[in-house]
Amino acid sequence: MELDPLILSRIQFAFVVCFHAIFPVFTIGLASTIAGFETLAYKTGNPIWHKLSKFWIQVFAVVFGIGVVSGIVMSFQFGTNWSNFSYATANFLGPVLSYEVVTAFFLEAGFLGVLLFGRDKVPQGVHLFAALMVATGTFISSFWILAANSLMQTPDGLINIDGIYHVVSWTDSLITPSFGYRFVHMALASFLTASLVVAGVSAWFLIQKREVEANKKALSIALWFLLVLAPLQAVIGDFHGLNTLKYQPMKVAAMEGNWETQPGVPLLLFAIPDESAEKNHFEIKIPKLASYILTHDPDGVVPGLKDVPVAERPPVFIVFWSFRVMVGLGLLMILFALWGLVLRRNGKIYTSTTFLNGLRLMSISPFLAVLAGWVVTESGRAPWLIYGQMTHAEGLTPSLTGGMALFSLIGYVLVYAMVFSAGIYYLLQVFKGGIEHTDIPHELTTVERPSRPLSAAHIGIDEDL
Amino acid sequence: MENVFDLTIIWAGIIGFGLMMYVLMDGFDLGQGILFPFAPNEQARDTMMNSVAPIWDGNETWLVLGGAGLLAAFPLVYAVFLPALYIGVFLLLAGLIFRGIAFEFRFKAKTSKYLWSWSFSVGSIVASFAQGAVVGAYIQGFETEGFAYSGGALDWLTPFTVLTGFGLVIGYALLGSTWLILKTEGEVQDFAYKITPKLLFGLIGVFTVVCIYTPFIDEYVFSRWFNDISFIWALPVLVLYCAYLVYRHVKKRNEGLPFVASMGIFLFSYLGLLASKWPYIVPPKFTIYDAASAYNSQLFLLLGFLFVIPIVLTYTSWTYWVFRGKVKEGGYH
């Protein structure tokens, strides 16, 4: 069998970016959560907020550390595997990525040290300021990287002269038509992730009756956030979908599994899209609902995949099902938010083991939903690297062979498997240590390690071996 | 649009300076990993690691900036070097990842500590070797078609690049050992005093071979050194003078000068390399002007840099000030 460098590069990029993405999506929300706890501690002086903040800072440190390490790979991937794309878009992409480093990475790295280790070295207000700066840094970073991604989805503000893109308008190219929706959708996803992880971990502590008072407060706040954010995300997601319908109709066609351009398109709850037969098997559908959602008219016309040649269609099965996974998990989040509201009125929110155990499981749901969402938007763009302008094949490194791509793919899988298991193991140790652990005397922490992210957790990785 | 300033020259200066800073700063901390297997005992390894623990990751942020900066200012370099060095870049990144996480896990681990020592050491050596091979590959030049690399996966791997790879491993070890002379005392410092002259001879050996070999594989370099300008001969002389300084002050057991003079060896070798190839940035075909991005993009980023970099430097120095204090054996504070 001939090894195809294009497929292998796409798999490698998907793998590396998925592995990387789950960390920042968590740290963006968590940074703001910590800043929130620090603000509450500052305003009320209640030591519970300090405890919570200290514990979650440890978690943040581990996750941030792995995110940084896996992020270094990302900045070289564009060149190694997609050199034609990089070269063609460098006039835009280069400054954008450089700005991300100088406006976000340095801000995060600089103030993270103070956040992690500076509690006793700077006044409380300054420490709070450091927390806010780290949170700000994570948002600045998402601004740049989502601007870069949005340009690939809905290109604007550039002209192509002899195969090289030149920036005509920086404003238009940075704020393309899909940017606003993507940014808000992603920011909400990050907050949802933080809310659900905080809720899940607090629930786990409450089941074990550990540090009940602090964890009750954390759970309560997390659930209020969930109640606001989960439905809001559904609304924003809908707007984002309408924007996609306008600019990337084939992506929407694949999401809906709709082959023919027609009025009154049903919403498919279940189907097995068959790309070679150009139809779906085993459809379970709600009549006219897709048309209603997308055009706000039950008889509205929705574009179908057969509008374009086979070569220009995204992989329907993947996009169709990833979309359902994302939406399904989103609906589950709304359900849990409402369940929490009902239990709160009955006063059982902190004691119902069924609910608390459910929340524990739900703490992985935002990660799955985010990955599914990115698969929808990235695979849905296929075969385009820059929508309507440059295909994946055109963007590939011309000298890349299948063997080289396979070598690096296997290599990254092995390296990341090791990093990931060490990181997860370590994170579980932090969770086991719990909120109580943050009270260890300062003398103990000073013999540990200096100002490094992962060192904020004072826990041996093989203590129980 | 009339281009008032030659931004390409300015960017060449910025990137050149940034690369030098990265090499000097990450060099001595990569050096710790290279020296790891030779350290007298476990406690010495702890001290060596501690001496660079708070700064190494800041240094690697500069590497990320270097990658992004090249894409912004000289996209052709980015788009030719990375595909040509595909396998080497993978090894470089894998090496950096393994040594990066070892900083954390080695200190947390008890029974598995030796594994993380290996992770740190092998990762550092592989990453350093890969960087050295990049330098060699740059001297060799790249086969291109249009504006893309057209050679094979392992074209870069030749006896010459293996030599430059090992050369940089030895060089980083030298930066690492002279750093230890400066920053430690007792057993670790003794170890560093002892190993420094050996590393120095090894490095000068590689340096000599590279200097003699390069003009003979590359006519351009030959004519630069033997026909064009003569004052650049000062550079290799300065390299040798710095090497002599390292040797003499190690014998006199001076603490600061060996490190400074080692950096001098790197600086003058680097300038010598640039002088050999200038203005070619993707040899043998492309100069910095061929490789440059659009004026508009260079300007957009430069204006931002002028505004943002002072702010970055301000808060970075503030955070250093917060954590001021002396490094002691066995830990911080």
Side-chain angles (χ1 to χ4, degrees):
Chain A
M1 192 186 80
E2 186 76 19
L3 287 170
D4 179 5
L6 178 60
I7 294 293
L8 289 167
S9 290
R10 289 185 61 189
I11 294 174
Q12 177 176 312
F13 198 87
F15 173 74
V16 173
V17 77
C18 281
F19 180 92
H20 174 67
I22 53 181
F23 299 101
V25 80
F26 183 26
T27 48
I28 293 165
L30 194 55
S32 299
T33 310
I34 290 166
F37 285 149
E38 286 290 324
T39 311
L40 286 167
Y42 187 70
K43 292 250 157 135
T44 66
N46 188 341
I48 280 184
W49 301 121
H50 262 139
K51 264 190 176 177
L52 284 169
S53 171
K54 280 184 185 171
F55 172 73
W56 286 104
I57 283 175
Q58 291 194 32
V59 176
F60 183 85
V62 179
V63 178
F64 188 83
I66 304 176
V68 168
V69 169
S70 57
I72 294 180
V73 175
M74 293 301 303
S75 68
F76 288 92
Q77 282 271 301
F78 298 119
T80 50
N81 294 64
W82 307 100
S83 70
N84 275 1
F85 164 73
S86 306
Y87 189 59
T89 56
N91 285 329
F92 172 76
L93 209 56
V96 168
L97 295 182
S98 301
Y99 268 121
E100 186 184 13
V101 179
V102 294
T103 59
F105 291 173
F106 282 112
L107 193 68
E108 291 171 329
F111 284 98
L112 186 64
V114 180
L115 178 66
L116 297 184
F117 304 98
R119 197 181 287 277
D120 304 324
K121 291 181 185 291
V122 295
Q124 202 187 350
V126 176
H127 191 252
L128 170 62
F129 178 73
L132 291 171
M133 283 301 108
V134 173
T136 309
T138 61
F139 277 105
I140 297 176
S141 174
S142 23
F143 169 84
W144 294 110
I145 204 67
L146 291 178
N149 183 267
S150 297
L151 183 108
M152 294 161 70
Q153 307 281 358
T154 51
D156 197 10
L158 305 183
I159 45 163
N160 189 323
I161 303 172
D162 300 331
I164 303 290
Y165 286 93
H166 290 258
V167 178
V168 182
S169 156
W170 283 102
T171 332
D172 288 352
S173 57
L174 286 169
I175 318 274
T176 63
S178 66
F179 172 77
Y181 300 99
R182 197 179 313 282
F183 186 80
V184 177
H185 198 44
M186 197 61 201
L188 285 177
S190 298
F191 283 129
L192 273 172
T193 305
S195 305
L196 281 159
V197 174
V198 171
V201 173
S202 307
W204 183 60
F205 285 141
L206 284 174
I207 294 170
Q208 299 176 323
K209 308 248 184 308
R210 288 168 64 182
E211 289 287 327
V212 172
E213 208 191 332
N215 285 309
K216 272 184 174 178
K217 278 194 186 281
L219 178 63
S220 171
I221 293 185
L223 286 176
W224 281 124
F225 267 95
L226 187 65
L227 188 63
V228 177
L229 297 175
L232 188 60
Q233 181 71 309
V235 176
I236 295 296
D238 183 52
F239 279 114
H240 195 0
L242 296 182
N243 177 266
T244 309
L245 177 67
K246 184 172 172 194
Y247 292 96
Q248 299 176 292
M250 284 311 111
K251 187 189 283 184
V252 172
M255 283 153 66
E256 300 297 346
N258 186 37
W259 295 94
E260 307 281 352
T261 299
Q262 56 187 336
V265 172
L267 183 81
L268 299 175
L269 296 177
F270 183 94
I272 306 287
D274 182 338
E275 286 174 38
S276 46
E278 301 189 319
K279 61 176 197 151
N280 303 322
H281 305 292
F282 313 112
E283 286 183 353
I284 301 174
K285 53 194 173 189
I286 303 174
K288 304 199 176 198
L289 190 56
S291 278
Y292 186 71
I293 291 173
L294 288 166
T295 62
H296 296 178
D297 168 9
D299 291 311
V301 176
V302 173
L305 288 156
K306 287 189 189 172
D307 277 9
V308 295
V310 178
E312 287 181 24
R313 292 177 198 164
V316 185
F317 186 89
I318 295 175
V319 177
F320 180 84
W321 275 107
S322 303
F323 181 64
R324 267 143 199 78
V325 168
M326 177 186 77
V327 172
L329 288 169
L331 293 175
L332 206 56
M333 291 174 200
I334 296 177
L335 211 65
F336 264 83
L338 295 174
W339 188 7
L341 189 65
V342 172
L343 285 181
R344 206 188 279 269
R345 292 190 60 186
N346 299 340
K348 280 195 191 153
I349 183 176
Y350 309 117
T351 49
S352 162
T353 0
T354 328
F355 178 64
L356 294 177
N357 271 316
L359 280 180
R360 270 178 68 193
L361 289 175
M362 282 303 284
S363 58
I364 51 165
S365 68
F367 298 103
L368 299 176
V370 165
L371 289 184
W374 276 106
V375 169
V376 171
T377 202
E378 293 294 286
S379 302
R381 194 187 58 220
W384 303 107
L385 198 47
I386 303 172
Y387 195 76
Q389 304 191 11
M390 179 190 272
T391 63
H392 284 120
E394 289 163 347
L396 192 71
T397 298
S399 59
L400 190 67
T401 64
M404 289 157 80
L406 186 67
F407 169 83
S408 61
L409 173 61
I410 292 173
Y412 282 122
V413 170
L414 289 178
V415 173
Y416 280 15
M418 289 172 71
V419 175
F420 196 65
S421 15
I424 289 289
Y425 179 76
Y426 194 30
L427 204 55
L428 290 177
Q429 295 290 331
V430 175
F431 286 147
K432 256 192 218 162
I435 294 179
E436 306 89 308
H437 209 84
T438 56
D439 278 344
I440 50 169
H442 193 67
E443 285 75 18
L444 264 179
T445 71
T446 54
V447 298
E448 287 279 339
R449 303 295 333 297
S451 40
R452 315 234 347 83
L454 298 181
S455 319
H458 317 288
I459 292 170
I461 52 167
D462 50 8
E463 255 171 7
D464 48 350
L465 289 181
Chain B
M1 181 169 49
E2 186 59 37
N3 302 346
V4 187
F5 295 105
D6 187 348
L7 292 184
T8 300
I9 286 278
I10 296 176
W11 273 107
I14 295 174
I15 301 276
F17 176 76
L19 271 177
M20 189 70 243
M21 288 307 288
Y22 168 75
V23 165
L24 290 180
M25 294 196 305
D26 214 21
F28 68 79
D29 68 58
L30 281 162
Q32 303 311 320
I34 301 165
L35 294 170
F36 237 46
F38 308 100
N41 54 46
E42 203 59 19
Q43 209 191 339
R45 292 192 186 99
D46 289 354
T47 308
M48 287 162 68
M49 211 165 183
N50 256 330
S51 75
V52 293
I55 37 185
W56 74 271
D57 64 340
N59 299 342
E60 284 183 9
T61 309
W62 289 95
L63 180 65
V64 178
L65 181 61
L70 269 180
L71 180 62
F74 299 104
L76 187 67
V77 178
Y78 188 86
V80 171
F81 276 48
L82 291 178
L85 301 160
Y86 191 86
I87 307 284
V89 169
F90 169 76
L91 293 175
L92 170 66
L93 295 174
L96 288 179
I97 290 174
F98 275 117
R99 79 183 284 276
I101 60 169
F103 269 103
E104 303 308 327
F105 294 147
R106 188 173 170 279
F107 277 93
K108 309 289 185 193
K110 291 184 180 71
T111 44
S112 58
K113 191 173 178 181
Y114 73 100
L115 280 179
W116 295 112
S117 293
W118 278 109
S119 168
F120 181 61
S121 183
V122 174
S124 302
I125 291 170
V126 168
S128 306
F129 178 84
Q131 290 181 16
V134 172
V135 177
Y138 166 67
I139 296 173
Q140 284 180 166
F142 300 94
E143 196 182 312
T144 49
E145 206 178 288
F147 291 100
Y149 177 68
S150 59
L154 292 174
D155 284 9
W156 59 277
L157 193 64
T158 62
F160 181 67
T161 53
V162 171
L163 183 71
T164 55
F166 277 118
L168 199 65
V169 171
I170 300 172
Y172 281 172
L174 177 71
L175 281 176
S177 71
T178 51
W179 165 259
L180 287 176
I181 291 174
L182 177 69
K183 294 293 277 191
T184 65
E185 49 203 12
E187 199 181 15
V188 181
Q189 199 189 32
D190 285 341
F191 156 71
Y193 272 128
K194 227 178 282 167
I195 201 165
T196 299
K198 294 175 194 161
L199 295 169
L200 187 64
F201 287 124
L203 182 64
I204 293 306
V206 174
F207 176 80
T208 313
V209 176
V210 171
C211 284
I212 294 171
Y213 185 72
T214 307
F216 290 100
I217 57 166
D218 190 334
E219 272 176 49
Y220 186 79
V221 175
F222 187 91
S223 72
R224 170 62 47 85
W225 286 88
F226 293 99
N227 302 339
D228 283 5
I229 22 179
S230 50
F231 69 84
I232 55 173
W233 282 92
L235 293 169
V237 173
L238 283 167
V239 170
L240 293 175
Y241 179 67
C242 285
Y244 163 74
L245 282 181
V246 174
Y247 185 76
R248 208 182 104 195
H249 289 277
V250 164
K251 288 294 157 204
K252 286 165 84 178
R253 291 185 80 88
N254 268 344
E255 295 193 334
L257 238 145
F259 184 58
V260 176
S262 303
M263 291 202 291
I265 295 178
F266 269 83
L267 176 66
F268 295 121
S269 309
Y270 179 71
L271 291 177
L273 176 64
L274 294 186
S276 303
K277 290 286 187 180
W278 180 265
Y280 286 91
I281 197 169
V282 184
K285 275 192 218 155
F286 301 105
T287 68
I288 54 167
Y289 295 97
D290 305 321
S293 59
Y295 183 81
N296 162 12
S297 298
Q298 290 186 334
L299 185 65
F300 176 68
L301 189 58
L302 188 63
L303 292 178
F305 267 36
L306 292 177
F307 178 70
V308 177
I309 294 288
I311 301 175
V312 171
L313 291 178
T314 308
Y315 66 67
T316 306
S317 10
W318 173 71
T319 57
Y320 269 82
W321 184 76
V322 168
F323 293 107
R324 67 198 176 278
K326 231 176 146 40
V327 185
K328 282 285 167 200
E329 215 164 307
Y332 267 73
H333 302 280

